[in-house]
C-alpha cells in the first residue's frame, strides 16, 4: 500500500487560538464538560482519524484568568471516549516528572486494555515553575535532569507493560509518544519515541528534524521506518480565501492581549512589561535555545521567527495568535490539503497533529472538507483497516528496553 498520512486532532479546550473561546457561536465553557470531548472524538472517528490527543499539565495555569483551560484529567476523559467509540486511537499527556512509574504503568496499561488496544502515552517532562510549586518545590528541575529522568521513567513503564500477564493489551502495549525539539528532547525521541510530535514553521527544518530522529533511532538499533513524526498544524478553514482571511482576522481581534503577552513572556522567560506593540523584542534579551529553561521547543520556534522576521511585538502576538508557535495555515480546503500534501511528499512529516482554530466548528470544517480532499488524492484512508492504535499507525512492537537504564527513579 502506498504511504498514507497519519492525522490526529488535538482537543484543546475551545481551540488552539487564544481567543477561540470568544469566537461567535462558540460555547466558552464547553471544555468543562466531557460531552465536548466525546462529540469531537465521534466526529474524528467518522472521518477516519488515527487518534484524538489531549494535552495536559499537572497544575492550574494562571492564564485561566484570560481564557478557559483544560480542567479534566486526560485518562478520565479518554476512558469515556473509549466507551463511546470503537476504533479511534486515544493519546493522553502524562508527566514523567510528577508521577510514579509503577502506578502510571498500571493506570495506562489498564486503559489500553479496556479500550481494546487504542491508547498512546505522550511522555512530557513538564516545564515551568507553576507545576513545580504545585508539588511543593521551589523551582522546576533543571532541563537536562528532567530528560534523564524521562528516559529512565519511560523505560521502566514500558518494561512493566511488557511483564503484564493479565489484562494484556490487544496491541501488545501502549504506543509511546514524545514531544520535544531541544537537544535533550531529540535524543529522548530517538531513544524511546514511536510517535514524535514536533513544532516547526519551516519545511526544510522539519525535514532535517525528521531525518535526525530517524537516524538517531537507527544508531540505537531501532527501525527508523517505525517512527512517525507529526508536526503540529493549526488550521483556519474558509470556503473561499476571503472567508478564511476574515475568520483569521476576527480571531486576531478577539485574542485577549493580556493572555497573548503572558504566554509569550512565559515561553521566552523574559518580561514584556513596558514594551509597546510597535517595538520589536530586543535581541539581547534572548539566549540560545539550548540555554532556555522552560520549553526549549517553543522557545526555538519563536526565537527563529524573531531572528528572521524582526516583527514588532504586536505583529508577533498576531503571528502566534496566542497558540504557542505551531504553524498556522489559513485557506480553502483545497489550499490546506495542498500544504499538507507538500510537507508529506517532501519528507517533512508523516502526518500532522491538527489543532483547529476553534472547537468544534473549526474541526467540523476540517473533517467535512479537508479530509475528503486528502482522501480523493489517495493520501488518507477512507475506512479503518485496524482496531488498534498501532495498527492505524502501521507500527510493530519494538523491543523492550535492555534494562541497563532501569535504576530507581526518584522525583
Amino acid at each position: 500500500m502506498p504511504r498514507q498520512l497519519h492525522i490526529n486532532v488535538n482537543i484543546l479546550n475551545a481551540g488552539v487560538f487564544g481567543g477561540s473561546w470568544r469566537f461567535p457561536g462558540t460555547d466558552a465553557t464547553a471544555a468543562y464538560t466531557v460531552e465536548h470531548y466525546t462529540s469531537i472524538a465521534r466526529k474524528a472517528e467518522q472521518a477516519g482519524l488515527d487518534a484524538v490527543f489531549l494535552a495536559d499539565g499537572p497544575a492550574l495555569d494562571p492564564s485561566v484568568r484570560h481564557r478557559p483551560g483544560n480542567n479534566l484529567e486526560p485518562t478520565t476523559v479518554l476512558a469515556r471516549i473509549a466507551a463511546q467509540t470503537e476504533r479511534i486511537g486515544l493519546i493522553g499527556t502524562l508527566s514523567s516528572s510528577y508521577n510514579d512509574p509503577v502506578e502510571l504503568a498500571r493506570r495506562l496499561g489498564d486503559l489500553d486494555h479496556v479500550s481494546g488496544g487504542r491508547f498512546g502515552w505522550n511522555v512530557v517532562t513538564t516545564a515551568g515553575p507553576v507545576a513545580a510549586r504545585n508539588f511543593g518545590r521551589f523551582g522546576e528541575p533543571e532541563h537536562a535532569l528532567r530528560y534523564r529522568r524521562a528516559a529512565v521513567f519511560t523505560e521502566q513503564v514500558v518494561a512493566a507493560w511488557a511483564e503484564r500477564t493479565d489484562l494484556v493489551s490487544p496491541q501488545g502495549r501502549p504506543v509511546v509518544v514524545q514531544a520535544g525539539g531541544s537537544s535533550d528532547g531529540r535524543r529522548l525521541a530517538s531513544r524511546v519515541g514511536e510517535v514524535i510530535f514536533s513544532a516547526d514553521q519551516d519545511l526544510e527544518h522539519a525535514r532535517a528534524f525528521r531525518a535526525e530522529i530517524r537516524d538517531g533511532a537507527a544508531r540505537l538499533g531501532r527501525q527508523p521506518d517505525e517512527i512517525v513524526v507529526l508536526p503540529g498544524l493549526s488550521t483556519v478553514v474558509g470556503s473561499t480565501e476571503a472567508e478564511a482571511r476574515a475568520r483569521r482576522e476576527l480571531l486576531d481581534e478577539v485574542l485577549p492581549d493580556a493572555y497573548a503577552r503572558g504566554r509569550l513572556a512565559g515561553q521566552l522567560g523574559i518580561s514584556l512589561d513596558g514594551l509597546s506593540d510597535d517595538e520589536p523584542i530586543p535581541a539581547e534579551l534572548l539566549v540560545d535555545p539550548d540555554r532556555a529553561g522552560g520549553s526549549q521547543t517553543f522557545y526555538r520556534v519563536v526565537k527563529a521567527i524573531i531572528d528572521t522576521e524582526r516583527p514588532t511585538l504586536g505583529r508577533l502576538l498576531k503571528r502566534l495568535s496566542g497558540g504557542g508557535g505551531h504553524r498556522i495555515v489559513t485557506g480553502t480546503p483545497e489550499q490546506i490539503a495542498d500544504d499538507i500534501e507538500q510537507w508529506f511528499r517532501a519528507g517533512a512529516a508523516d502526518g500532522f497533529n491538527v489543532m483547529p482554530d476553534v472547537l468544534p466548528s473549526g474541526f467540523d470544517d476540517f473533517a467535512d472538507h479537508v479530509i475528503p480532499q486528502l482522501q480523493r488524492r489517495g493520501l488518507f484512508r477512507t475506512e479503518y483497516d485496524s482496531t488498534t492504535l498501532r495498527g492505524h499507525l502501521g507500527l510493530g512492537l519494538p523491543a523492550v528496553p535492555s534494562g541497563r537504564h532501569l535504576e530507581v527513579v526518584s522525583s
Side-chain angles (χ1 to χ4, degrees):
M1 175 183 292
R3 179 169 167 256
Q4 288 193 321
L5 287 157
H6 299 292
I7 298 178
N8 304 329
V9 58
N10 184 349
I11 309 179
L12 187 67
N13 51 71
V16 70
F17 277 52
S20 57
W21 60 281
R22 304 174 73 186
F23 194 78
T26 300
D27 181 351
T29 60
Y32 294 83
T33 69
V34 73
E35 289 76 16
H36 175 71
Y37 304 90
T38 55
S39 63
I40 293 171
R42 289 194 297 269
K43 179 84 173 184
E45 185 168 74
Q46 291 168 6
L49 268 62
D50 292 72
V52 297
F53 167 64
L54 298 184
D56 192 54
L60 179 62
D61 189 341
S63 68
V64 74
R65 298 185 184 95
H66 306 294
R67 71 171 295 183
N70 286 342
N71 284 274
L72 298 175
E73 190 275 329
T75 58
T76 304
V77 176
L78 293 173
R80 181 70 170 266
I81 291 175
Q84 296 195 12
T85 57
E86 296 180 355
R87 296 290 191 94
I88 194 161
L90 316 164
I91 301 175
T93 300
L94 293 105
S95 174
S96 63
S97 299
Y98 302 111
N99 275 294
D100 175 81
V102 175
E103 187 280 328
L104 192 73
R106 180 189 178 190
R107 181 161 33 118
L108 304 189
D110 287 357
L111 178 55
D112 190 42
H113 174 78
V114 300
S115 70
R118 293 191 278 150
F119 186 72
W121 169 34
N122 181 37
V123 183
V124 294
T125 61
T126 311
V130 175
R133 289 196 298 269
N134 196 42
F135 288 86
R137 298 180 180 179
F138 294 107
E140 64 179 315
E142 187 266 331
H143 188 275
L145 177 61
R146 295 201 311 269
Y147 276 89
R148 287 197 297 272
R149 173 183 165 85
V152 177
F153 188 104
T154 304
E155 291 186 354
Q156 287 182 324
V157 171
V158 171
W161 288 335
E163 292 168 359
R164 287 170 72 110
T165 57
D166 55 1
L167 302 181
V168 176
S169 167
Q171 65 175 344
R173 57 180 181 264
V175 175
V176 175
V177 182
Q178 194 271 338
S182 66
S183 299
D184 293 324
R186 296 194 300 274
R187 284 191 290 270
L188 179 63
S190 294
R191 179 167 156 182
V192 303
E194 298 177 81
V195 175
I196 311 302
F197 292 159
S198 63
D200 243 309
Q201 299 279 343
D202 178 75
L203 185 149
E204 290 303 325
H205 188 279
R207 182 157 58 182
F209 173 86
R210 180 173 177 266
E212 180 183 349
I213 298 299
R214 290 162 62 87
D215 290 347
R219 287 194 296 271
L220 293 169
R222 301 180 61 199
Q223 294 296 323
D225 288 340
E226 291 203 342
I227 294 177
V228 175
V229 178
L230 305 179
L233 179 66
S234 300
T235 55
V236 184
V237 186
S239 60
T240 65
E241 285 188 62
E243 183 180 296
R245 284 197 301 269
R247 182 180 175 97
R248 172 66 189 273
E249 288 168 3
L250 180 54
L251 281 162
D252 287 341
E253 288 174 15
V254 299
L255 172 66
D257 184 69
Y259 170 78
R261 280 177 165 256
R263 184 173 175 85
L264 180 59
Q267 286 175 323
L268 297 179
I270 62 175
S271 173
L272 300 177
D273 293 345
L275 191 66
S276 76
D277 282 352
D278 296 328
E279 299 177 77
I281 294 177
E284 60 270 19
L285 296 181
L286 303 178
V287 301
D288 183 86
D290 280 340
R291 293 172 51 206
S295 172
Q296 293 184 5
T297 299
F298 290 110
Y299 187 99
R300 174 183 59 79
V301 170
V302 175
K303 186 176 185 298
I305 294 172
I306 295 170
D307 291 343
T308 57
E309 300 179 19
R310 298 299 298 157
T312 63
L313 174 58
R315 180 61 189 159
L316 180 61
L317 294 176
K318 286 191 174 182
R319 172 87 151 72
L320 301 173
S321 291
H326 285 293
R327 195 166 62 94
I328 302 170
V329 179
T330 301
T332 65
E334 294 85 355
Q335 289 170 329
I336 292 174
D338 287 345
D339 183 275
I340 289 173
E341 181 174 5
Q342 180 187 17
W343 276 55
F344 179 64
R345 294 197 185 281
D350 296 299
F352 293 91
N353 200 33
V354 172
M355 295 171 286
D357 53 358
V358 180
L359 292 171
S361 65
F363 180 62
D364 289 341
D365 291 339
F366 184 88
D368 291 341
H369 303 294
V370 179
I371 288 294
Q373 282 283 334
L374 298 172
Q375 291 170 332
R376 283 192 286 271
R377 302 176 192 204
L379 295 174
F380 193 67
R381 67 173 66 87
T382 55
E383 60 182 7
Y384 291 110
D385 57 9
S386 174
T387 60
T388 69
L389 179 56
R390 282 189 184 279
H392 301 339
L393 296 166
L395 296 175
L397 196 63
V400 179
S402 65
R404 66 184 182 277
H405 299 295
L406 299 187
E407 66 267 21
V408 175
V409 177
S410 62
S411 54

